[in-house]
Amino acid sequence: WLQYSKRLFDAGLINLIDIVSMHPYQAGPPEYSDNGMTYIEMAQRLENLASSYGEKKPVWSTEANWLIGPAGTPGVTAPDVNEHQQSQYVVRVNLLSLGIHVPYFVHSPFFTGFHREVLVDSLSSYAAMTSILSDAQNAKILQLPEGLYGISASTKSGTVLALWSTRSTGATVHVSGLRNATMQDMYGNPMSYTDNPTVNSSPIYITGTGVPTVSAAATASGMLAMAAAPAAQAVALAPLQSWTKGQKTQLQNSQNGVHVFASGVKYDNQIVSPVFPVSPNSCYVIRPELIVHQGGVGIVVSDPDIHKNLRADYMYAYTGNDRYTPAIRIETQNHTHLQLIFQAGNAHDPANTEFDLTGVQINRCH
């Protein structure tokens, strides 16, 4: 869609429009990479693209949701998401949107043809969020340690904090600077207030007067519970120069990695990693670093034992020097080996694919 927007802008439409919009459907949490970008990165890249034409345009998300339903059904965008997760994601993406001042329009908020039962969980949490933050001003995203998220905003009721965590174990934070503070859960139910709340994937709201500060909470031993993310076990991969290249691929070693080029390709494999072991029923984060110069690049995570692709994320060149550093999460379930395939991703016609791959890190999830 960034390529599409660029074609519109190249045709001169950038001068005729008031707002640039996107439809950021995602398959997983808004904080995680989906085709190379988190939700915030999607909005930032679209804004930066418009700015590159000398035009400052507001960004709107004019249609999005997690459309849940049976896998393989046309129109279902999030087959692996249940209603409670949808509820969490819709609230969290709206909080992130509020923090970056991007209006977010929910598509099919009540039910869909794939899920005809009324989405009570999502409606309840969405209603609470809009009630608490309906007159919010001066919203901003808090700078917090990895896996912790929050926004603050001014309302008629006072300063509101919304806090949540994507860590599997949650996190404990310390809140200071608020007077007469109250706390509510994601559905607006009152909670007993504490200066050291535990946060998880369901946001909580804290309202009070004053200028709040959110910091790491101290444990009984004096250690900081969130001063830094715990060390995650890394998976060692062979150097990029030793990976297998595709038949049409020209591979050049560079100081920082490899330069990959292929002409007239559609979905051909470009460079393939050796097979590496992983633990079953675990979670891994794959973080490649690449710059896409031409065409599209797909990052495919495959199980070589059963010859099945588990996930494919596609990143595209729209300026010719587009840097991607996605964090791709994989739940291994019963898989014990994985392999990474970087392939061309030119969906419509064969085209040139060119990119620099400077590194790949694979770590266990926090």
Side-chain angles (χ1 to χ4, degrees), residues 36 69 86 115 127 129 139 144 238 249 280 289 291 300-301 311 313 353-355 359:
Q86 181 206 47
H115 189 286
M129 176 191 64
L144 299 172
T249 302
E289 298 180 13
I291 301 173
V300 179
V301 184
R311 177 167 176 171
D313 287 62
T353 291
E354 182 180 11
F355 62 96

Side-chain angles (χ1 to χ4, degrees), residues 241-316:
Q241 291 79 2
S242 68
W243 290 23
T244 304
K245 73 179 185 69
Q247 292 183 348
K248 296 183 179 180
T249 302
Q250 299 176 31
L251 191 65
Q252 294 180 333
N253 296 334
S254 63
Q255 183 177 2
N256 297 321
V258 291
H259 180 82
V260 182
F261 175 81
S263 62
V265 292
K266 197 168 184 181
Y267 282 112
D268 305 54
N269 289 350
Q270 302 298 291
I271 182 171
V272 181
S273 80
V275 175
F276 55 91
V278 292
S279 299
N281 300 313
S282 299
C283 173
Y284 289 82
V285 178
I286 301 168
R287 290 185 172 91
E289 298 180 13
L290 67 161
I291 301 173
V292 184
H293 302 294
Q294 296 187 70
V297 178
I299 303 176
V300 179
V301 184
S302 177
D303 182 336
D305 297 332
I306 59 175
H307 305 287
K308 180 180 180 181
N309 293 340
L310 308 181
R311 177 167 176 171
D313 287 62
Y314 288 91
M315 282 134 272
Y316 297 90

Side-chain angles (χ1 to χ4, degrees), residues 37-90:
M37 294 173 283
T38 66
Y39 171 73
I40 288 181
E41 288 171 339
M42 292 180 194
Q44 290 174 335
R45 285 180 185 267
L46 183 55
E47 181 181 22
N48 292 341
L49 179 61
S51 297
S52 71
Y53 290 80
E55 297 283 345
K56 182 69 174 177
K57 302 290 186 180
V59 173
W60 286 17
S61 296
T62 54
E63 179 189 311
N65 199 345
W66 282 260
L67 299 180
I68 59 180
T73 303
V76 171
T77 63
D80 297 325
V81 174
N82 59 42
E83 186 182 340
H84 182 55
Q85 290 173 316
Q86 181 206 47
S87 174
Q88 295 171 327
Y89 297 169
V90 167

